[in-house]
Amino acid sequence: MEQDYLAKSPHPERLQTLLDKLGAFDPGFAGWSDEEIRAIAAPTLLTVGDCDAVKLDHAVEFLRLRGGDVNGDFTGVPASQLAVFPGTTHFNGLGHTDVVRQVVLTYLDAPMPGQG
């Protein structure tokens, strides 16, 4: 992970900041309630690797709570979406920056529902 980050990051000097933030997560965190997840106002792009510790069914359930997992042909593309990156985990996904960048930029550049 370190080699990939240092080789690809526009700010390799910030690696320790990233690691400090990752290390600050509370291991006793029990998660959010369904109501708290539904109440998130911001559009959401969920990303997960297909070989991840985060199970795909958990990511899909989170997507459903965010209003995704709908038939976009009839309802329009929802503001909350899910991207599953092949052959990755949440750690080694940093090594697939070309794929991740394409998905994230496409999501960020798309008009949000109701914006035309």
Side-chain angles (χ1 to χ4, degrees):
M1 177 180 160
E2 178 182 10
Q3 290 174 348
D4 284 336
Y5 185 92
L6 294 175
K8 296 175 182 174
S9 173
H11 300 285
E13 72 279 3
R14 295 183 186 170
L15 174 60
Q16 190 58 55
T17 301
L18 170 64
L19 295 174
D20 291 344
K21 287 180 179 182
L22 291 172
F25 284 123
D26 179 3
F29 177 64
W32 297 293
S33 70
D34 289 357
E35 294 76 27
E36 289 172 315
I37 294 169
R38 283 188 197 98
I40 297 170
T44 308
L45 174 62
L46 304 163
T47 62
V48 65
D50 66 347
C51 304
D52 212 316
V54 176
K55 299 302 178 198
L56 293 176
D57 57 339
H58 180 76
V60 170
E61 179 57 26
F62 197 102
L63 177 68
R64 287 180 179 137
L65 291 170
R66 299 291 306 118
D69 193 26
V70 298
N71 186 336
D73 291 329
F74 295 107
T75 64
V77 176
S80 294
Q81 300 171 19
L82 171 65
V84 179
F85 297 113
T88 64
T89 70
H90 62 285
F91 285 116
N92 70 13
L94 292 174
H96 299 276
T97 53
D98 53 334
V99 176
V100 174
R101 182 176 43 248
Q102 176 72 34
V103 170
V104 171
L105 291 178
T106 298
Y107 178 78
L108 293 175
D109 291 342
M112 288 293 113
Q115 294 182 349

